[in-house]
Short mmCIF file of all heavy atoms in Angstrom, two decimals:
data_model
loop_
_atom_site.label_atom_id
_atom_site.label_comp_id
_atom_site.label_asym_id
_atom_site.label_seq_id
_atom_site.Cartn_x
_atom_site.Cartn_y
_atom_site.Cartn_z
N THR Z 102 -9.27 0.72 24.18
CA THR Z 102 -8.01 0.91 24.93
C THR Z 102 -7.85 -0.12 25.95
O THR Z 102 -6.73 -0.57 26.23
CB THR Z 102 -8.00 2.34 25.60
OG1 THR Z 102 -8.17 3.33 24.53
CG2 THR Z 102 -6.79 2.60 26.39
N LEU Z 103 -8.97 -0.61 26.50
CA LEU Z 103 -8.88 -1.66 27.55
C LEU Z 103 -8.69 -3.04 27.04
O LEU Z 103 -8.19 -3.93 27.75
CB LEU Z 103 -10.17 -1.59 28.41
CG LEU Z 103 -10.39 -0.33 29.22
CD1 LEU Z 103 -11.74 -0.42 29.84
CD2 LEU Z 103 -9.36 -0.13 30.23
N LEU Z 104 -9.04 -3.25 25.72
CA LEU Z 104 -8.76 -4.60 25.13
C LEU Z 104 -7.26 -4.77 24.82
O LEU Z 104 -6.67 -3.85 24.25
CB LEU Z 104 -9.62 -4.73 23.88
CG LEU Z 104 -11.10 -4.79 24.07
CD1 LEU Z 104 -11.85 -4.74 22.65
CD2 LEU Z 104 -11.54 -6.01 24.89
N PRO Z 105 -6.74 -5.89 25.19
CA PRO Z 105 -5.24 -6.03 25.09
C PRO Z 105 -4.66 -5.98 23.60
O PRO Z 105 -3.64 -5.43 23.43
CB PRO Z 105 -4.98 -7.37 25.73
CG PRO Z 105 -6.33 -8.09 25.79
CD PRO Z 105 -7.36 -7.06 25.76
N ASP Z 106 -5.37 -6.52 22.69
CA ASP Z 106 -4.76 -6.65 21.33
C ASP Z 106 -5.50 -5.76 20.31
O ASP Z 106 -5.40 -5.98 19.13
CB ASP Z 106 -4.81 -8.05 20.85
CG ASP Z 106 -3.94 -8.96 21.69
OD1 ASP Z 106 -2.86 -8.45 22.09
OD2 ASP Z 106 -4.33 -10.09 22.00
N HIS Z 107 -6.23 -4.70 20.82
CA HIS Z 107 -6.94 -3.83 19.90
C HIS Z 107 -6.03 -2.76 19.27
O HIS Z 107 -5.08 -2.34 19.97
CB HIS Z 107 -8.13 -3.23 20.65
CG HIS Z 107 -9.17 -2.72 19.68
ND1 HIS Z 107 -9.04 -1.53 19.05
CD2 HIS Z 107 -10.34 -3.22 19.29
CE1 HIS Z 107 -10.10 -1.29 18.23
NE2 HIS Z 107 -10.94 -2.34 18.42
N ASP Z 108 -6.30 -2.31 18.10
CA ASP Z 108 -5.56 -1.22 17.54
C ASP Z 108 -5.68 0.02 18.39
O ASP Z 108 -6.80 0.27 18.94
CB ASP Z 108 -6.02 -0.94 16.15
CG ASP Z 108 -5.68 -2.09 15.15
OD1 ASP Z 108 -4.72 -2.86 15.48
OD2 ASP Z 108 -6.44 -2.22 14.13
N PRO Z 109 -4.66 0.86 18.43
CA PRO Z 109 -4.76 2.12 19.23
C PRO Z 109 -5.69 3.13 18.58
O PRO Z 109 -5.93 3.14 17.35
CB PRO Z 109 -3.34 2.66 19.29
CG PRO Z 109 -2.63 1.94 18.15
CD PRO Z 109 -3.32 0.62 17.88
N VAL Z 110 -6.24 3.99 19.39
CA VAL Z 110 -7.16 5.00 18.88
C VAL Z 110 -6.26 6.08 18.25
O VAL Z 110 -5.29 6.51 18.81
CB VAL Z 110 -7.97 5.64 20.08
CG1 VAL Z 110 -8.78 6.82 19.56
CG2 VAL Z 110 -8.87 4.58 20.71
N ASN Z 111 -6.74 6.48 17.09
CA ASN Z 111 -6.03 7.48 16.24
C ASN Z 111 -6.71 8.88 16.44
O ASN Z 111 -6.10 9.91 16.51
CB ASN Z 111 -5.91 7.16 14.82
CG ASN Z 111 -5.29 8.18 14.01
OD1 ASN Z 111 -5.96 9.00 13.48
ND2 ASN Z 111 -3.95 8.08 13.87
N LYS Z 112 -8.06 8.85 16.37
CA LYS Z 112 -8.85 10.07 16.37
C LYS Z 112 -10.32 9.77 16.76
O LYS Z 112 -10.85 8.76 16.41
CB LYS Z 112 -8.77 10.67 14.98
CG LYS Z 112 -9.55 11.94 14.75
CD LYS Z 112 -9.50 12.31 13.27
CE LYS Z 112 -10.29 13.50 12.95
NZ LYS Z 112 -10.14 13.91 11.54
N VAL Z 113 -10.88 10.72 17.57
CA VAL Z 113 -12.26 10.69 17.85
C VAL Z 113 -12.86 11.93 17.37
O VAL Z 113 -12.30 13.01 17.73
CB VAL Z 113 -12.44 10.48 19.40
CG1 VAL Z 113 -13.99 10.49 19.65
CG2 VAL Z 113 -11.86 9.14 19.82
N THR Z 114 -14.00 11.93 16.66
CA THR Z 114 -14.59 13.21 16.20
C THR Z 114 -16.08 13.07 16.33
O THR Z 114 -16.72 12.03 16.24
CB THR Z 114 -14.17 13.44 14.70
OG1 THR Z 114 -14.87 14.64 14.26
CG2 THR Z 114 -14.64 12.30 13.76
#
Side-chain angles (χ1 to χ4, degrees):
T102 301
L103 295 174
L104 292 173
D106 295 322
H107 200 282
D108 293 335
V110 175
N111 177 272
K112 177 181 179 180
V113 178
T114 181

